[in-house]
Amino acid sequence: ILLTRGLRTLRAVAFPLFLLLFMIPLPFQAYKKFTFQLQLLASRLAETLLDWLGYSVLREGNILELVGQRLQVAQACSGLRSLSTILFFSVVYVYFLESRTWVRLLLVALSIPIAILANSGRIVISAIMGRHDPRWIEGAAHATTGWVLAGLVILILVAIHAGINRFSLDRASSPQGR
């Protein structure tokens, strides 16, 4: 692009070219390592959340033992796919809707722990609802829970952005901010 169309065109298409990086899959070893670490993190967080909610739970690695129920956090439920989707969304969102670099970086950085917490919340919901109906642990109900929580994460990021904008406007309009 630089050689055929010049620097101006390269600047114009730099962001879409950057987004192409999200299409490149992680190398197998890195994918396996990230997936395993996220499985363990999601399991630990789900165990803590379930404990806080008053459920008796025992965790061994990525397996959660509840009264009368055994829940395994599989590779597919590690949250890596939802994390990459939320990360992609946050990068596109801040590119188009925010000009301040520090806010862009903050929102993209916050999307990571929020997505991880949402994935742990999905495991908690699956565990609680799975006690009443085992179909919640897999299948359409489990997939729907993932989509609903992904939407919730997006709403949380938008709300945080709105809060930052409101706080920035309040500080700018106050007598001390001038």
Side-chain angles (χ1 to χ4, degrees), residues 43-53 57:
S43 299
R44 280 193 298 264
L45 289 172
E47 175 192 27
T48 301
L49 289 170
L50 285 165
D51 191 45
W52 283 351
L53 293 172
V57 61

Short mmCIF file of all heavy atoms in Angstrom, two decimals, residues 43-53 57:
data_model
loop_
_atom_site.label_atom_id
_atom_site.label_comp_id
_atom_site.label_asym_id
_atom_site.label_seq_id
_atom_site.Cartn_x
_atom_site.Cartn_y
_atom_site.Cartn_z
N SER A 43 -12.57 -21.01 36.81
CA SER A 43 -13.00 -21.98 37.84
C SER A 43 -12.83 -21.39 39.24
O SER A 43 -13.71 -21.52 40.09
CB SER A 43 -12.19 -23.27 37.73
OG SER A 43 -12.37 -23.87 36.49
N ARG A 44 -11.68 -20.75 39.47
CA ARG A 44 -11.43 -20.14 40.79
C ARG A 44 -12.43 -19.03 41.08
O ARG A 44 -12.98 -18.94 42.19
CB ARG A 44 -10.00 -19.59 40.87
CG ARG A 44 -8.95 -20.63 41.13
CD ARG A 44 -7.62 -20.00 41.50
NE ARG A 44 -7.07 -19.18 40.44
CZ ARG A 44 -6.17 -19.61 39.54
NH1 ARG A 44 -5.71 -20.84 39.60
NH2 ARG A 44 -5.72 -18.80 38.61
N LEU A 45 -12.67 -18.17 40.10
CA LEU A 45 -13.62 -17.08 40.30
C LEU A 45 -15.03 -17.61 40.51
O LEU A 45 -15.77 -17.11 41.37
CB LEU A 45 -13.58 -16.11 39.12
CG LEU A 45 -12.33 -15.25 39.00
CD1 LEU A 45 -12.33 -14.49 37.68
CD2 LEU A 45 -12.22 -14.28 40.17
N ALA A 46 -15.42 -18.62 39.73
CA ALA A 46 -16.75 -19.21 39.89
C ALA A 46 -16.89 -19.85 41.27
O ALA A 46 -17.94 -19.72 41.91
CB ALA A 46 -17.01 -20.24 38.79
N GLU A 47 -15.83 -20.51 41.73
CA GLU A 47 -15.86 -21.11 43.07
C GLU A 47 -16.07 -20.03 44.12
O GLU A 47 -16.90 -20.19 45.03
CB GLU A 47 -14.55 -21.84 43.33
CG GLU A 47 -14.42 -22.39 44.74
CD GLU A 47 -13.02 -22.86 45.07
OE1 GLU A 47 -12.05 -22.35 44.48
OE2 GLU A 47 -12.91 -23.74 45.95
N THR A 48 -15.35 -18.93 44.00
CA THR A 48 -15.48 -17.84 44.96
C THR A 48 -16.88 -17.24 44.93
O THR A 48 -17.50 -17.01 45.97
CB THR A 48 -14.43 -16.75 44.66
OG1 THR A 48 -13.13 -17.33 44.73
CG2 THR A 48 -14.52 -15.60 45.65
N LEU A 49 -17.40 -17.00 43.72
CA LEU A 49 -18.74 -16.42 43.59
C LEU A 49 -19.81 -17.36 44.15
O LEU A 49 -20.72 -16.92 44.85
CB LEU A 49 -19.03 -16.09 42.13
CG LEU A 49 -18.26 -14.92 41.54
CD1 LEU A 49 -18.46 -14.85 40.02
CD2 LEU A 49 -18.67 -13.61 42.18
N LEU A 50 -19.69 -18.65 43.85
CA LEU A 50 -20.65 -19.61 44.37
C LEU A 50 -20.59 -19.68 45.89
O LEU A 50 -21.62 -19.77 46.56
CB LEU A 50 -20.42 -20.99 43.75
CG LEU A 50 -20.89 -21.16 42.31
CD1 LEU A 50 -20.30 -22.42 41.69
CD2 LEU A 50 -22.41 -21.18 42.25
N ASP A 51 -19.38 -19.63 46.43
CA ASP A 51 -19.20 -19.63 47.88
C ASP A 51 -19.85 -18.40 48.50
O ASP A 51 -20.54 -18.50 49.53
CB ASP A 51 -17.71 -19.72 48.21
CG ASP A 51 -17.47 -20.00 49.67
OD1 ASP A 51 -18.15 -20.88 50.23
OD2 ASP A 51 -16.58 -19.34 50.26
N TRP A 52 -19.65 -17.24 47.90
CA TRP A 52 -20.27 -16.00 48.39
C TRP A 52 -21.79 -16.09 48.36
O TRP A 52 -22.47 -15.50 49.20
CB TRP A 52 -19.83 -14.80 47.56
CG TRP A 52 -18.45 -14.29 47.86
CD1 TRP A 52 -17.63 -14.65 48.88
CD2 TRP A 52 -17.74 -13.32 47.10
NE1 TRP A 52 -16.44 -13.96 48.81
CE2 TRP A 52 -16.48 -13.13 47.72
CE3 TRP A 52 -18.02 -12.58 45.96
CZ2 TRP A 52 -15.53 -12.26 47.25
CZ3 TRP A 52 -17.05 -11.71 45.48
CH2 TRP A 52 -15.83 -11.55 46.14
N LEU A 53 -22.31 -16.80 47.36
CA LEU A 53 -23.76 -16.93 47.23
C LEU A 53 -24.34 -18.01 48.15
O LEU A 53 -25.54 -18.23 48.15
CB LEU A 53 -24.14 -17.22 45.78
CG LEU A 53 -23.88 -16.09 44.79
CD1 LEU A 53 -24.09 -16.56 43.36
CD2 LEU A 53 -24.78 -14.90 45.11
N VAL A 57 -19.27 -25.65 47.51
CA VAL A 57 -18.55 -26.00 46.29
C VAL A 57 -17.11 -26.38 46.62
O VAL A 57 -16.48 -25.79 47.51
CB VAL A 57 -18.59 -24.83 45.27
CG1 VAL A 57 -17.94 -23.58 45.81
CG2 VAL A 57 -17.97 -25.22 43.95
#
